[in-house]
Amino acid sequence: MAVDLGKMADLLIAGKVEDVSNMTQEAIDEGMNPKEILENGLIAGMDVVGQRFKACEMFIPEVLRSAKAMSSGMDKLRPLLSESDSRAAGSFVIGTVKGDLHDIGKNLVAMMFEGAGFKVVNLGIDLDTQVFVDAVKEHKPDLLGMSALLTTTMPRMGEVINALKEAGIRDQVKIMVGGAPVTEDFAQEIGADIYGANAASSVDKGREAVGK
Amino acid sequence: MESIMPDMQPMNQTVQETPQFRVLTEDQIEQIYFAALDVLERVGSRVHEDEALELFRNSNEAVVSDDKRVRVPASLVERALKSYPRKITLQGRNGKRSVALQKDHVYFGTGSDLPFTYDRKTGERRRTTYKDVTDAARIVDALPNFDFFMSHGIVSDVPNPQTYDRHQFMAMLEGCTKPMVVTSVDGEGLEDLWKMACLFQGGEEEFRLSPMFVAYIEPISPLTNDRSAVEKLLFAAEKGIPAMYTPCPSSGATAPATIAGMLVQSLAETLLAAVMCYLKKPGMPLIMGGVTTVMDMRTTTYSYGAPEMSLASAANTDISKWLNLLMFSTGGCSDSKWLDEQAAIESTLSLLTAFLSGANLVHDVGYIDSGVNASLESLVMNDEIIGMVRQVGKGIRTDEEGLALKVINEAGPGGEFVTRDHTYEHWRDWFLPRFMDRSDWETWNSEGCKTMSDRVNEETQRILDTYEPQPIDDATRKGLKEIIDAAEKRHSQ
Ligand code: B12
């Protein structure tokens, strides 16, 4: 009997990590097309998760659990998918600026991006400007995210942008900023590309910015 | 006066002065406490400050691992806990010893550092300034139900982020004479604020006897202590400056999703600080804290209006009393973006719960937008709520005068009470509303159909237009300026 991809999507929505992993393996063993498993099973499920989150029918812990189920399936599929089919939705480097120890908001943004299929590098907190510059050089991400929760540390985000300019790599990345005292106006003032008010809306904006 | 009751000396009576409220039984508190001790023995807490690590190492009891994790045996914790004072009396810059922190004495005050303010002229949201902080200070000085002041807003129009705390304290002092709770950038910042306070108090010794402020310090939940926080704590211990080390966990994000689990973790964080201060200098006035709430799972907001915050905070106060520590708690705050029905509902629930729990310093009164936006009107509205809440706390007297048999007899069936002496003497015991409208519809209509927010707005404006706090004398002002200038100079390189 053929594996039911609709059921796989349902299991993913229900956050059944192990079941999704097992079912993906079954589908592979049955010789089902990996691309079809990805699109009609995993991605179809995640799309519903996204819709339900927006409709306030699913909540953060559930969304993150579904994302985990998704990646457990992806782990099985990746070796079988062509390079282009298995490519991440984009790559994202994120960190909290120097002098600022607020961690959890930035981590949630990282997790939600990961859930949306981005490859994410979370640099940590209290980071020197140079750490951001080096990370952009090393990882060549599509998006760089910076977090600041303090009025006193916000200006550091502008300093990072200037340092990226000086290093001649500002235009290689789209820059996103966020945190309680940060505003759309401030983001523009310092020359960032995107302001993210919260994790969910930031993911939408991030997706749009990398064109996927 | 002749008693008209047949028997005024009954046996086996229990009366209560005030309502009684508690969330946890002693057995439950012990469960939480033992669990917290277990966390300190097994998991430990990370400390990013060298002097503190050295203190722990030299104790020959705590175990410090290479990753800066400190684990502490119960025996050391219990010794440390015995060293803290059960009473601290705070005084204002006017010398009034107005806040006597001791078990079940409750005082209310603002929160600090709000980045935004709605401009009262344009209505637009903008960054908070020095003047906004001074205005908040004057409002709090004028309002009868506020006992202490935190900056409410952050002064963002100052030269250097590294020295903003000195300017902020100055702005607070300009407007308010009441005792304060202060935030500072680091140990050096706290030292400057303490020197500034000592100018009013006539020196370190006087400050220690009856301090003008409490230092606000926080660990990073879960179980992490950063350098500047520890620096401040050790400085406070050395100088005998009262300090709270107040965990700000969000249940489900930086702490377990069960309230008991969050309380265990934050208690472990508090106990670690208790040991650290004890090793530095036994007996410093340490105050327990905790802004224990949930992270909203739809928006990720750290909620200042959740009923779980009220419940967890009250439980934390139960724990603090059992430990013989004073308690810094939270109330009168809201997630609402605007001073509206939501703000009133959330503020009321948390104020009432915090008051009934007997927490000593209830802060964040007036916060809107989850600790991001300042609102002077919210301060004024909350003043009224605190008045109502305190009234509930008065309890009911059931003595002869309270039972009022005499006057019931006098009035008799079909009589009235308005003209009786008993009424004349007792109606003043009631809460007298200032902004709650109890008028009839005609009067309300003819006076312009004012809503609560209209009345609160008018009072806010009235205070801003007319209220002048007791000024700071010239000599002190000069001393304050010297300290601030010196800080600017040190940080201008
Ligand atoms: C919890 C908390 C802490 C904790 C942090 C623990 C941790 N593990 O992160 C602790 C106790 C350590 C802390 C410390 C301090 N804090 Co604090 N803190 C908060 C609080 C109450 C909640 C923050 C939070 O966790 N929110 C929940 C998370 C999930 O949301 P978030 O961080 O806002 O992130 C979301 C969005 O902003 C956005 N986002 C965030 N970053 C990014 C980045 C990108 C790229 C994008 C796209 C989006 C994005 O998406 C996130 C997810 O939806 C806020 C108040 C508030 N409402 O913001 C104050 C607040 C930020 N803190 C404040 C202050 C003053 C401090 C201290 C200076 C206090 C002191 N004097 O000691 C210290 C500073 C320490 C330091 N050097 O950093 C002030 C800042 C005031 C100001 N104008 O600068 C605030 C506003 C509270 C207040 N009014 O006093 N704090």
Side-chain angles (χ1 to χ4, degrees):
Chain A
M1 200 189 80
V3 166
D4 179 352
L5 292 182
K7 191 172 164 221
M8 185 191 281
D10 286 343
L11 287 169
L12 183 141
I13 295 163
K16 306 284 183 201
V17 179
E18 227 165 284
D19 292 347
V20 170
S21 167
N22 292 339
M23 213 169 164
T24 309
Q25 190 60 50
E26 269 170 52
I28 293 169
D29 294 345
E30 264 177 34
M32 205 179 258
N33 178 350
K35 198 171 167 200
E36 195 189 327
I37 305 174
L38 175 67
E39 276 166 14
N40 299 337
L42 303 180
I43 293 181
M46 267 326 268
D47 283 346
V48 174
V49 170
Q51 287 157 18
R52 292 204 180 158
F53 179 69
K54 290 211 173 85
C56 300
E57 289 163 4
M58 280 181 83
F59 295 84
I60 303 257
E62 294 155 354
V63 172
L64 292 175
R65 180 60 58 87
S66 294
K68 193 169 170 193
M70 163 101 189
S71 75
S72 77
M74 264 313 271
D75 289 346
K76 304 264 154 141
L77 285 178
R78 198 170 287 114
L80 308 172
L81 287 166
S82 72
E83 180 116 329
S84 68
D85 285 336
S86 77
R87 229 186 41 212
S91 56
F92 184 46
V93 167
I94 185 168
T96 301
V97 296
K98 187 75 194 166
D100 205 313
L101 307 170
H102 293 86
D103 201 8
I104 186 70
K106 179 252 322 163
N107 289 346
L108 274 160
V109 175
M111 286 179 226
M112 295 290 272
F113 266 91
E114 222 157 41
F118 277 73
K119 190 172 149 265
V120 176
V121 179
N122 187 340
L123 298 171
I125 53 172
D126 195 14
L127 302 169
D128 281 317
T129 297
Q130 194 55 39
V131 176
F132 286 100
V133 176
D134 292 345
V136 170
K137 283 185 186 154
E138 184 187 340
H139 303 290
K140 302 198 168 37
D142 300 313
L143 283 169
L144 170 67
M146 288 185 277
S147 182
L149 270 279
L150 300 173
T151 309
T152 50
T153 56
M154 261 185 348
R156 300 282 184 183
M157 304 200 290
E159 287 173 32
V160 172
I161 295 179
N162 288 337
L164 289 170
K165 279 186 193 149
E166 266 167 45
I169 51 177
R170 164 65 185 90
D171 295 333
Q172 289 177 16
V173 284
K174 287 263 188 312
I175 296 178
M176 265 187 128
V177 293
V182 181
T183 60
E184 186 80 58
D185 287 349
F186 179 78
Q188 281 182 15
E189 230 170 83
I190 61 168
D193 301 303
I194 306 161
Y195 163 66
N198 60 59
S201 70
S202 300
V203 169
D204 289 344
K205 289 182 176 181
R207 271 214 189 105
E208 202 179 308
V210 302
K212 278 162 205 160
Chain B
M1 188 173 49
E2 195 190 327
S3 166
I4 76 151
M5 299 232 340
D7 175 13
M8 277 310 285
Q9 276 180 322
M11 300 304 295
N12 303 317
Q13 299 296 295
T14 309
V15 295
Q16 55 185 31
E17 278 287 308
T18 69
Q20 301 283 325
F21 175 74
R22 61 186 293 171
V23 176
L24 299 171
T25 65
E26 184 161 359
D27 288 334
Q28 287 177 298
I29 294 172
E30 284 177 339
Q31 284 172 346
I32 290 170
Y33 174 67
F34 293 135
L37 290 177
D38 195 62
V39 169
L40 280 185
E41 286 173 352
R42 258 175 342 106
V43 187
S45 182
R46 199 163 270 149
V47 179
H48 296 280
E49 210 272 346
D50 293 339
E51 184 189 350
L53 288 174
E54 210 45 40
L55 288 169
F56 283 117
R57 275 193 206 101
N58 293 342
S59 73
N60 292 325
E61 284 177 273
V63 178
V64 179
S65 0
D66 291 343
D67 61 355
K68 303 188 175 184
R69 243 187 225 227
V70 178
R71 285 170 299 147
V72 187
S75 58
L76 179 54
V77 175
E78 301 217 308
R79 235 179 310 132
L81 279 173
K82 292 207 178 74
S83 73
Y84 293 101
R86 297 171 58 195
K87 173 178 175 297
I88 304 169
T89 304
L90 303 177
Q91 69 177 45
R93 73 160 162 84
N94 55 9
K96 271 200 200 122
R97 288 163 54 89
S98 53
V99 170
L101 302 175
Q102 61 195 70
K103 183 166 164 285
D104 282 312
H105 285 221
V106 185
Y107 298 93
F108 294 93
T110 38
S112 72
D113 293 290
L114 295 163
F116 297 106
T117 293
Y118 292 119
D119 191 285
R120 282 182 62 78
K121 290 220 177 67
T122 66
E124 254 168 64
R125 191 176 82 137
R126 57 161 174 75
R127 295 206 184 273
T128 311
T129 62
Y130 186 98
K131 176 158 187 304
D132 294 325
V133 172
T134 306
D135 283 347
R138 285 162 61 217
I139 298 261
V140 164
D141 211 43
L143 290 172
N145 289 317
F146 277 81
D147 305 297
F148 68 93
F149 182 53
M150 289 181 79
S151 71
H152 194 50
I154 187 170
V155 295
S156 50
D157 51 346
V158 294
N160 184 344
Q162 273 305 305
T163 52
Y164 92 89
D165 47 358
R166 287 79 161 177
H167 297 276
Q168 187 153 298
F169 188 39
M170 188 65 209
M172 294 165 72
L173 291 167
E174 297 268 15
C176 187
T177 61
K178 294 179 180 177
M180 294 180 182
V181 173
V182 298
T183 54
S184 55
V185 174
D186 50 18
E188 188 198 313
L190 179 58
E191 180 167 5
D192 277 349
L193 304 194
W194 168 73
K195 283 183 185 154
M196 289 166 77
C198 286
L199 289 179
F200 288 95
Q201 302 207 261
E204 285 184 38
E205 290 82 9
E206 292 296 329
F207 183 100
R208 259 198 302 278
L209 272 182
S210 181
M212 221 176 88
F213 68 60
V214 180
Y216 176 98
I217 313 172
E218 315 160 312
I220 304 179
S221 303
L223 302 166
T224 306
N225 306 272
D226 68 281
R227 192 185 48 76
S228 58
V230 174
E231 218 176 79
K232 288 183 225 175
L233 200 54
L234 294 181
F235 180 76
E238 187 187 319
K239 299 296 181 190
I241 301 168
M244 64 261 310
Y245 200 57
T246 181
C248 303
S250 47
S251 194
T254 58
T258 50
I259 290 183
M262 171 164 61
L263 293 175
V264 167
Q265 182 186 295
S266 30
L267 183 54
E269 290 162 352
T270 298
L271 295 179
L272 185 99
V275 172
M276 190 152 59
C277 294
Y278 170 73
L279 293 174
K280 174 76 179 176
K281 192 166 178 184
M284 71 93 78
L286 183 71
I287 296 173
M288 177 163 154
V291 185
T292 40
T293 188
V294 295
M295 183 180 82
D296 182 79
M297 288 301 182
R298 200 153 74 198
T299 58
T300 79
T301 295
Y302 177 98
S303 178
Y304 280 84
E308 290 81 5
M309 182 189 81
S310 293
L311 181 62
S313 303
N316 228 358
T317 302
D318 289 344
I319 297 171
S320 77
K321 286 191 259 183
W322 185 82
L323 290 170
N324 284 325
L325 292 173
L326 297 166
M327 183 69 194
F328 179 65
S329 193
T330 311
C333 40
S334 173
D335 296 318
S336 183
K337 308 302 159 291
W338 194 255
L339 193 65
D340 60 359
E341 292 84 349
Q342 180 185 340
I345 293 166
E346 290 175 340
S347 298
T348 305
L349 180 67
S350 54
L351 283 174
L352 179 63
T353 315
F355 183 70
L356 293 179
S357 77
N360 303 111
L361 291 162
V362 179
H363 88 304
D364 284 350
V365 179
Y367 265 16
I368 57 169
D369 190 7
S370 315
V372 177
N373 213 317
S375 166
L376 298 180
E377 299 80 3
S378 176
L379 300 177
V380 174
M381 181 186 78
N382 272 286
D383 193 72
E384 183 88 336
I385 304 174
I386 295 170
M388 296 174 80
V389 159
R390 282 201 163 121
Q391 189 66 18
V392 173
K394 281 188 180 167
I396 294 170
R397 275 172 62 186
T398 50
D399 56 6
E400 184 170 9
E401 186 69 6
L403 292 173
L405 281 187
K406 189 160 168 264
V407 68
I408 294 172
N409 187 40
E410 269 170 33
E416 55 77 26
F417 292 86
V418 194
T419 60
R420 308 279 158 195
D421 288 352
H422 188 268
T423 302
Y424 188 80
E425 260 144 49
H426 287 290
W427 81 272
R428 276 273 173 193
D429 302 345
W430 306 346
F431 169 71
L432 194 61
R434 293 162 66 221
F435 313 120
M436 294 292 162
D437 172 46
R438 296 179 182 170
S439 65
D440 60 278
W441 188 87
E442 291 296 345
T443 309
W444 175 75
N445 187 48
S446 68
E447 288 179 355
C449 309
K450 284 181 192 159
T451 63
M452 178 76 181
S453 77
D454 294 331
R455 294 186 292 273
V456 159
N457 246 307
E458 280 174 10
E459 175 64 3
T460 308
Q461 198 56 51
R462 191 192 65 78
I463 298 174
L464 289 176
D465 290 343
T466 59
Y467 184 77
E468 283 305 331
Q470 179 186 317
I472 301 170
D473 68 65
D474 289 344
T476 311
R477 189 176 282 280
K478 190 163 157 275
L480 294 167
K481 188 167 180 308
E482 277 166 18
I483 296 169
I484 298 172
D485 288 348
E488 282 310 334
K489 211 166 151 207
R490 279 198 306 280
H491 285 273
S492 65
Q493 286 85 20

